[in-house]
mmCIF file of all heavy atoms in Angstrom:
data_model
loop_
_atom_site.group_PDB
_atom_site.id
_atom_site.type_symbol
_atom_site.label_atom_id
_atom_site.label_comp_id
_atom_site.label_asym_id
_atom_site.label_seq_id
_atom_site.Cartn_x
_atom_site.Cartn_y
_atom_site.Cartn_z
ATOM 1 N N GLU A 40 7.202 1.756 27.731
ATOM 2 C CA GLU A 40 7.924 2.976 28.038
ATOM 3 C C GLU A 40 7.782 3.959 26.870
ATOM 4 O O GLU A 40 7.611 5.148 27.047
ATOM 5 C CB GLU A 40 9.345 2.661 28.334
ATOM 6 C CG GLU A 40 9.576 2.005 29.679
ATOM 7 C CD GLU A 40 10.964 1.474 29.895
ATOM 8 O OE1 GLU A 40 11.815 1.437 28.945
ATOM 9 O OE2 GLU A 40 11.248 1.056 31.018
ATOM 10 N N GLU A 41 7.921 3.424 25.606
ATOM 11 C CA GLU A 41 7.780 4.301 24.460
ATOM 12 C C GLU A 41 6.360 4.866 24.349
ATOM 13 O O GLU A 41 6.160 6.028 23.978
ATOM 14 C CB GLU A 41 8.151 3.506 23.172
ATOM 15 C CG GLU A 41 8.037 4.371 21.917
ATOM 16 C CD GLU A 41 8.397 3.656 20.643
ATOM 17 O OE1 GLU A 41 8.749 2.455 20.688
ATOM 18 O OE2 GLU A 41 8.212 4.261 19.593
ATOM 19 N N PHE A 42 5.363 4.048 24.650
ATOM 20 C CA PHE A 42 3.969 4.469 24.591
ATOM 21 C C PHE A 42 3.756 5.604 25.584
ATOM 22 O O PHE A 42 3.127 6.635 25.216
ATOM 23 C CB PHE A 42 3.067 3.269 24.960
ATOM 24 C CG PHE A 42 1.598 3.503 24.763
ATOM 25 C CD1 PHE A 42 1.012 3.627 23.518
ATOM 26 C CD2 PHE A 42 0.794 3.661 25.890
ATOM 27 C CE1 PHE A 42 -0.333 3.820 23.379
ATOM 28 C CE2 PHE A 42 -0.579 3.845 25.765
ATOM 29 C CZ PHE A 42 -1.131 3.958 24.500
ATOM 30 N N ALA A 43 4.249 5.486 26.777
ATOM 31 C CA ALA A 43 4.108 6.540 27.796
ATOM 32 C C ALA A 43 4.832 7.838 27.380
ATOM 33 O O ALA A 43 4.301 8.918 27.470
ATOM 34 C CB ALA A 43 4.595 6.069 29.145
ATOM 35 N N ARG A 44 6.049 7.702 26.891
ATOM 36 C CA ARG A 44 6.849 8.820 26.489
ATOM 37 C C ARG A 44 6.185 9.545 25.262
ATOM 38 O O ARG A 44 6.136 10.745 25.201
ATOM 39 C CB ARG A 44 8.258 8.370 26.096
ATOM 40 C CG ARG A 44 9.251 9.455 25.804
ATOM 41 C CD ARG A 44 10.677 8.956 25.660
ATOM 42 N NE ARG A 44 10.862 7.656 24.953
ATOM 43 C CZ ARG A 44 11.180 6.512 25.607
ATOM 44 N NH1 ARG A 44 11.361 6.448 26.916
ATOM 45 N NH2 ARG A 44 11.321 5.422 24.898
ATOM 46 N N LEU A 45 5.704 8.758 24.313
ATOM 47 C CA LEU A 45 5.041 9.319 23.146
ATOM 48 C C LEU A 45 3.835 10.127 23.536
ATOM 49 O O LEU A 45 3.550 11.214 22.957
ATOM 50 C CB LEU A 45 4.659 8.181 22.184
ATOM 51 C CG LEU A 45 4.033 8.594 20.878
ATOM 52 C CD1 LEU A 45 4.957 9.425 20.062
ATOM 53 C CD2 LEU A 45 3.655 7.283 20.091
ATOM 54 N N GLN A 46 3.020 9.638 24.491
ATOM 55 C CA GLN A 46 1.870 10.390 24.904
ATOM 56 C C GLN A 46 2.279 11.746 25.533
ATOM 57 O O GLN A 46 1.582 12.751 25.318
ATOM 58 C CB GLN A 46 1.041 9.620 25.945
ATOM 59 C CG GLN A 46 0.298 8.389 25.298
ATOM 60 C CD GLN A 46 -0.496 7.696 26.314
ATOM 61 O OE1 GLN A 46 -1.704 7.993 26.414
ATOM 62 N NE2 GLN A 46 0.108 6.812 27.052
ATOM 63 N N ASP A 47 3.380 11.775 26.275
ATOM 64 C CA ASP A 47 3.858 13.061 26.821
ATOM 65 C C ASP A 47 4.148 14.026 25.683
ATOM 66 O O ASP A 47 3.858 15.243 25.809
ATOM 67 C CB ASP A 47 5.137 12.829 27.666
ATOM 68 C CG ASP A 47 4.827 12.158 28.964
ATOM 69 O OD1 ASP A 47 3.666 12.193 29.436
ATOM 70 O OD2 ASP A 47 5.743 11.594 29.603
ATOM 71 N N TYR A 48 4.818 13.534 24.681
ATOM 72 C CA TYR A 48 5.093 14.427 23.494
ATOM 73 C C TYR A 48 3.827 14.883 22.802
ATOM 74 O O TYR A 48 3.716 16.051 22.385
ATOM 75 C CB TYR A 48 5.994 13.685 22.485
ATOM 76 C CG TYR A 48 7.383 13.304 22.982
ATOM 77 C CD1 TYR A 48 7.981 12.132 22.510
ATOM 78 C CD2 TYR A 48 8.083 14.057 23.903
ATOM 79 C CE1 TYR A 48 9.248 11.783 22.936
ATOM 80 C CE2 TYR A 48 9.327 13.684 24.337
ATOM 81 C CZ TYR A 48 9.907 12.534 23.858
ATOM 82 O OH TYR A 48 11.150 12.175 24.300
ATOM 83 N N MET A 49 2.853 13.977 22.687
ATOM 84 C CA MET A 49 1.608 14.283 21.973
ATOM 85 C C MET A 49 0.863 15.381 22.684
ATOM 86 O O MET A 49 0.292 16.298 21.999
ATOM 87 C CB MET A 49 0.754 13.082 21.801
ATOM 88 C CG MET A 49 1.303 12.048 20.828
ATOM 89 S SD MET A 49 0.410 10.515 20.766
ATOM 90 C CE MET A 49 -1.092 11.054 19.840
ATOM 91 N N VAL A 50 0.786 15.366 23.999
ATOM 92 C CA VAL A 50 0.020 16.427 24.703
ATOM 93 C C VAL A 50 0.682 17.787 24.621
ATOM 94 O O VAL A 50 0.047 18.822 24.823
ATOM 95 C CB VAL A 50 -0.264 16.051 26.182
ATOM 96 C CG1 VAL A 50 -1.142 14.809 26.278
ATOM 97 C CG2 VAL A 50 0.990 15.885 26.991
ATOM 98 N N SER A 51 1.991 17.806 24.246
ATOM 99 C CA SER A 51 2.686 19.097 24.164
ATOM 100 C C SER A 51 2.685 19.644 22.765
ATOM 101 O O SER A 51 3.239 20.706 22.530
ATOM 102 C CB SER A 51 4.126 18.961 24.688
ATOM 103 O OG SER A 51 4.856 18.114 23.827
ATOM 104 N N CYS A 52 2.033 18.937 21.822
ATOM 105 C CA CYS A 52 2.005 19.396 20.414
ATOM 106 C C CYS A 52 0.583 19.836 20.015
ATOM 107 O O CYS A 52 -0.394 19.359 20.585
ATOM 108 C CB CYS A 52 2.400 18.221 19.468
ATOM 109 S SG CYS A 52 4.107 17.999 19.267
ATOM 110 N N ASP A 53 0.566 20.685 19.001
ATOM 111 C CA ASP A 53 -0.680 21.071 18.406
ATOM 112 C C ASP A 53 -1.218 19.885 17.573
ATOM 113 O O ASP A 53 -0.502 19.284 16.802
ATOM 114 C CB ASP A 53 -0.436 22.277 17.511
ATOM 115 C CG ASP A 53 -1.694 22.755 16.792
ATOM 116 O OD1 ASP A 53 -2.812 22.505 17.286
ATOM 117 O OD2 ASP A 53 -1.552 23.403 15.749
ATOM 118 N N LYS A 54 -2.473 19.554 17.769
ATOM 119 C CA LYS A 54 -3.078 18.388 17.129
ATOM 120 C C LYS A 54 -3.129 18.507 15.584
ATOM 121 O O LYS A 54 -3.246 17.493 14.918
ATOM 122 C CB LYS A 54 -4.491 18.101 17.655
ATOM 123 C CG LYS A 54 -4.493 17.540 19.027
ATOM 124 C CD LYS A 54 -5.871 17.107 19.422
ATOM 125 C CE LYS A 54 -5.865 16.415 20.758
ATOM 126 N NZ LYS A 54 -7.170 15.851 21.101
ATOM 127 N N ASP A 55 -2.990 19.708 15.068
ATOM 128 C CA ASP A 55 -2.991 19.890 13.664
ATOM 129 C C ASP A 55 -1.616 19.853 13.013
ATOM 130 O O ASP A 55 -1.481 19.946 11.829
ATOM 131 C CB ASP A 55 -3.674 21.214 13.262
ATOM 132 C CG ASP A 55 -5.180 21.235 13.649
ATOM 133 O OD1 ASP A 55 -5.803 20.188 13.540
ATOM 134 O OD2 ASP A 55 -5.665 22.277 14.089
ATOM 135 N N SER A 56 -0.609 19.738 13.842
ATOM 136 C CA SER A 56 0.780 19.746 13.337
ATOM 137 C C SER A 56 1.145 18.397 12.652
ATOM 138 O O SER A 56 0.545 17.353 12.955
ATOM 139 C CB SER A 56 1.761 20.041 14.444
ATOM 140 O OG SER A 56 1.863 18.939 15.305
ATOM 141 N N GLU A 57 2.106 18.525 11.770
ATOM 142 C CA GLU A 57 2.581 17.288 11.086
ATOM 143 C C GLU A 57 3.248 16.332 12.067
ATOM 144 O O GLU A 57 3.132 15.112 11.956
ATOM 145 C CB GLU A 57 3.579 17.673 9.956
ATOM 146 C CG GLU A 57 3.972 16.529 9.062
ATOM 147 C CD GLU A 57 2.843 15.944 8.276
ATOM 148 O OE1 GLU A 57 1.879 16.656 7.922
ATOM 149 O OE2 GLU A 57 2.855 14.705 8.072
ATOM 150 N N ALA A 58 3.955 16.895 13.044
ATOM 151 C CA ALA A 58 4.618 16.096 14.081
ATOM 152 C C ALA A 58 3.561 15.300 14.845
ATOM 153 O O ALA A 58 3.766 14.063 15.071
ATOM 154 C CB ALA A 58 5.423 16.962 15.024
ATOM 155 N N TYR A 59 2.473 15.882 15.222
ATOM 156 C CA TYR A 59 1.414 15.171 15.946
ATOM 157 C C TYR A 59 0.834 14.034 15.141
ATOM 158 O O TYR A 59 0.639 12.950 15.614
ATOM 159 C CB TYR A 59 0.293 16.146 16.384
ATOM 160 C CG TYR A 59 -0.719 15.495 17.279
ATOM 161 C CD1 TYR A 59 -0.564 15.560 18.619
ATOM 162 C CD2 TYR A 59 -1.822 14.862 16.728
ATOM 163 C CE1 TYR A 59 -1.514 14.951 19.460
ATOM 164 C CE2 TYR A 59 -2.806 14.264 17.538
ATOM 165 C CZ TYR A 59 -2.620 14.332 18.907
ATOM 166 O OH TYR A 59 -3.574 13.719 19.730
ATOM 167 N N LYS A 60 0.602 14.272 13.857
ATOM 168 C CA LYS A 60 0.069 13.264 12.954
ATOM 169 C C LYS A 60 1.010 12.048 12.870
ATOM 170 O O LYS A 60 0.559 10.903 12.885
ATOM 171 C CB LYS A 60 -0.198 13.823 11.605
ATOM 172 C CG LYS A 60 -1.342 14.844 11.574
ATOM 173 C CD LYS A 60 -1.537 15.535 10.236
ATOM 174 C CE LYS A 60 -2.554 16.654 10.352
ATOM 175 N NZ LYS A 60 -2.637 17.456 9.176
ATOM 176 N N LYS A 61 2.314 12.317 12.823
ATOM 177 C CA LYS A 61 3.268 11.218 12.799
ATOM 178 C C LYS A 61 3.294 10.454 14.123
ATOM 179 O O LYS A 61 3.382 9.237 14.131
ATOM 180 C CB LYS A 61 4.660 11.742 12.458
ATOM 181 C CG LYS A 61 4.800 12.197 11.008
ATOM 182 C CD LYS A 61 6.145 12.684 10.697
ATOM 183 C CE LYS A 61 6.188 13.125 9.249
ATOM 184 N NZ LYS A 61 7.536 13.540 8.815
ATOM 185 N N MET A 62 3.266 11.228 15.226
ATOM 186 C CA MET A 62 3.204 10.559 16.547
ATOM 187 C C MET A 62 1.922 9.742 16.687
ATOM 188 O O MET A 62 1.961 8.631 17.265
ATOM 189 C CB MET A 62 3.324 11.590 17.622
ATOM 190 C CG MET A 62 4.702 12.185 17.767
ATOM 191 S SD MET A 62 4.868 13.298 19.200
ATOM 192 C CE MET A 62 4.186 14.790 18.492
ATOM 193 N N LYS A 63 0.861 10.248 16.147
ATOM 194 C CA LYS A 63 -0.427 9.537 16.209
ATOM 195 C C LYS A 63 -0.372 8.166 15.547
ATOM 196 O O LYS A 63 -0.911 7.153 16.020
ATOM 197 C CB LYS A 63 -1.541 10.371 15.631
ATOM 198 C CG LYS A 63 -2.924 9.751 15.553
ATOM 199 C CD LYS A 63 -3.695 9.931 16.868
ATOM 200 C CE LYS A 63 -4.974 9.182 16.864
ATOM 201 N NZ LYS A 63 -6.030 9.703 16.092
ATOM 202 N N ARG A 64 0.306 8.086 14.391
ATOM 203 C CA ARG A 64 0.487 6.813 13.720
ATOM 204 C C ARG A 64 1.259 5.827 14.596
ATOM 205 O O ARG A 64 0.901 4.664 14.689
ATOM 206 C CB ARG A 64 1.159 6.995 12.342
ATOM 207 C CG ARG A 64 0.270 7.624 11.322
ATOM 208 C CD ARG A 64 0.811 7.559 9.908
ATOM 209 N NE ARG A 64 2.017 8.339 9.712
ATOM 210 C CZ ARG A 64 2.066 9.603 9.360
ATOM 211 N NH1 ARG A 64 0.937 10.251 9.127
ATOM 212 N NH2 ARG A 64 3.200 10.226 9.199
ATOM 213 N N ARG A 65 2.328 6.337 15.210
ATOM 214 C CA ARG A 65 3.124 5.446 16.078
ATOM 215 C C ARG A 65 2.331 5.065 17.324
ATOM 216 O O ARG A 65 2.372 3.932 17.787
ATOM 217 C CB ARG A 65 4.463 6.131 16.488
ATOM 218 C CG ARG A 65 5.324 5.307 17.320
ATOM 219 C CD ARG A 65 5.730 4.018 16.643
ATOM 220 N NE ARG A 65 6.607 3.202 17.480
ATOM 221 C CZ ARG A 65 6.689 1.901 17.391
ATOM 222 N NH1 ARG A 65 6.049 1.198 16.483
ATOM 223 N NH2 ARG A 65 7.481 1.229 18.202
ATOM 224 N N TYR A 66 1.578 6.006 17.881
ATOM 225 C CA TYR A 66 0.701 5.782 19.026
ATOM 226 C C TYR A 66 -0.245 4.597 18.696
ATOM 227 O O TYR A 66 -0.441 3.680 19.486
ATOM 228 C CB TYR A 66 -0.031 7.032 19.345
ATOM 229 C CG TYR A 66 -1.241 6.909 20.246
ATOM 230 C CD1 TYR A 66 -1.079 6.867 21.610
ATOM 231 C CD2 TYR A 66 -2.529 6.794 19.702
ATOM 232 C CE1 TYR A 66 -2.213 6.740 22.462
ATOM 233 C CE2 TYR A 66 -3.622 6.666 20.534
ATOM 234 C CZ TYR A 66 -3.470 6.655 21.910
ATOM 235 O OH TYR A 66 -4.562 6.484 22.726
ATOM 236 N N THR A 67 -0.908 4.677 17.527
ATOM 237 C CA THR A 67 -1.829 3.658 17.107
ATOM 238 C C THR A 67 -1.151 2.310 16.997
ATOM 239 O O THR A 67 -1.670 1.282 17.465
ATOM 240 C CB THR A 67 -2.541 4.060 15.802
ATOM 241 O OG1 THR A 67 -3.193 5.344 16.010
ATOM 242 C CG2 THR A 67 -3.578 3.053 15.363
ATOM 243 N N ALA A 68 0.043 2.269 16.399
ATOM 244 C CA ALA A 68 0.758 1.041 16.181
ATOM 245 C C ALA A 68 1.115 0.418 17.580
ATOM 246 O O ALA A 68 0.959 -0.790 17.785
ATOM 247 C CB ALA A 68 2.003 1.246 15.365
ATOM 248 N N LEU A 69 1.643 1.252 18.451
ATOM 249 C CA LEU A 69 2.013 0.736 19.802
ATOM 250 C C LEU A 69 0.754 0.276 20.529
ATOM 251 O O LEU A 69 0.836 -0.761 21.279
ATOM 252 C CB LEU A 69 2.698 1.827 20.559
ATOM 253 C CG LEU A 69 4.132 2.122 20.218
ATOM 254 C CD1 LEU A 69 4.641 3.407 20.880
ATOM 255 C CD2 LEU A 69 5.039 0.901 20.565
ATOM 256 N N LYS A 70 -0.326 0.933 20.368
ATOM 257 C CA LYS A 70 -1.565 0.497 21.058
ATOM 258 C C LYS A 70 -1.974 -0.873 20.585
ATOM 259 O O LYS A 70 -2.388 -1.698 21.392
ATOM 260 C CB LYS A 70 -2.663 1.591 20.830
ATOM 261 C CG LYS A 70 -3.844 1.492 21.705
ATOM 262 C CD LYS A 70 -4.694 2.746 21.514
ATOM 263 C CE LYS A 70 -5.859 2.699 22.516
ATOM 264 N NZ LYS A 70 -6.655 3.850 22.469
ATOM 265 N N VAL A 71 -1.904 -1.081 19.293
ATOM 266 C CA VAL A 71 -2.242 -2.393 18.755
ATOM 267 C C VAL A 71 -1.289 -3.483 19.258
ATOM 268 O O VAL A 71 -1.713 -4.548 19.685
ATOM 269 C CB VAL A 71 -2.255 -2.351 17.172
ATOM 270 C CG1 VAL A 71 -2.340 -3.745 16.594
ATOM 271 C CG2 VAL A 71 -3.383 -1.514 16.658
ATOM 272 N N ILE A 72 0.012 -3.163 19.249
ATOM 273 C CA ILE A 72 0.975 -4.144 19.716
ATOM 274 C C ILE A 72 0.744 -4.520 21.190
ATOM 275 O O ILE A 72 0.715 -5.683 21.556
ATOM 276 C CB ILE A 72 2.405 -3.611 19.549
ATOM 277 C CG1 ILE A 72 2.780 -3.484 18.064
ATOM 278 C CG2 ILE A 72 3.424 -4.412 20.314
ATOM 279 C CD1 ILE A 72 4.025 -2.672 17.766
ATOM 280 N N LEU A 73 0.563 -3.502 21.990
ATOM 281 C CA LEU A 73 0.342 -3.733 23.424
ATOM 282 C C LEU A 73 -0.940 -4.468 23.718
ATOM 283 O O LEU A 73 -0.981 -5.362 24.529
ATOM 284 C CB LEU A 73 0.474 -2.433 24.189
ATOM 285 C CG LEU A 73 1.874 -1.761 24.209
ATOM 286 C CD1 LEU A 73 1.812 -0.381 24.798
ATOM 287 C CD2 LEU A 73 2.878 -2.636 24.903
ATOM 288 N N THR A 74 -1.988 -4.046 23.068
ATOM 289 C CA THR A 74 -3.293 -4.711 23.307
ATOM 290 C C THR A 74 -3.247 -6.194 22.858
ATOM 291 O O THR A 74 -3.751 -7.030 23.535
ATOM 292 C CB THR A 74 -4.402 -3.913 22.508
ATOM 293 O OG1 THR A 74 -4.391 -2.599 22.955
ATOM 294 C CG2 THR A 74 -5.754 -4.566 22.791
ATOM 295 N N SER A 75 -2.675 -6.435 21.720
ATOM 296 C CA SER A 75 -2.575 -7.818 21.216
ATOM 297 C C SER A 75 -1.640 -8.670 22.090
ATOM 298 O O SER A 75 -1.765 -9.884 22.098
ATOM 299 C CB SER A 75 -2.121 -7.862 19.783
ATOM 300 O OG SER A 75 -0.783 -7.440 19.648
ATOM 301 N N SER A 76 -0.797 -8.003 22.900
ATOM 302 C CA SER A 76 0.108 -8.705 23.819
ATOM 303 C C SER A 76 -0.567 -8.955 25.169
ATOM 304 O O SER A 76 0.060 -9.482 26.085
ATOM 305 C CB SER A 76 1.391 -7.957 23.987
ATOM 306 O OG SER A 76 2.077 -7.843 22.768
#
């Protein structure tokens, strides 16, 4: 659920923004967690 919600936020942000960069780090972490599960 967090992964899906985070992606919604990411598409509404400018990719060069600091917020997007922080979301991208969490996106990557969640992707690793879910894939390894």
Side-chain angles (χ1 to χ4, degrees):
E40 289 169 351
E41 183 181 354
F42 187 74
R44 188 171 38 253
L45 183 60
Q46 288 183 95
D47 287 341
Y48 297 147
M49 289 174 74
V50 296
S51 67
C52 276
D53 179 25
K54 287 187 176 188
D55 295 324
S56 71
E57 189 62 32
Y59 186 90
K60 292 173 186 173
K61 289 180 180 185
M62 286 186 278
K63 176 86 186 286
R64 286 193 294 272
R65 182 60 180 153
Y66 164 85
T67 302
L69 284 168
K70 196 169 182 175
V71 168
I72 291 166
L73 293 171
T74 302
S75 67
S76 298

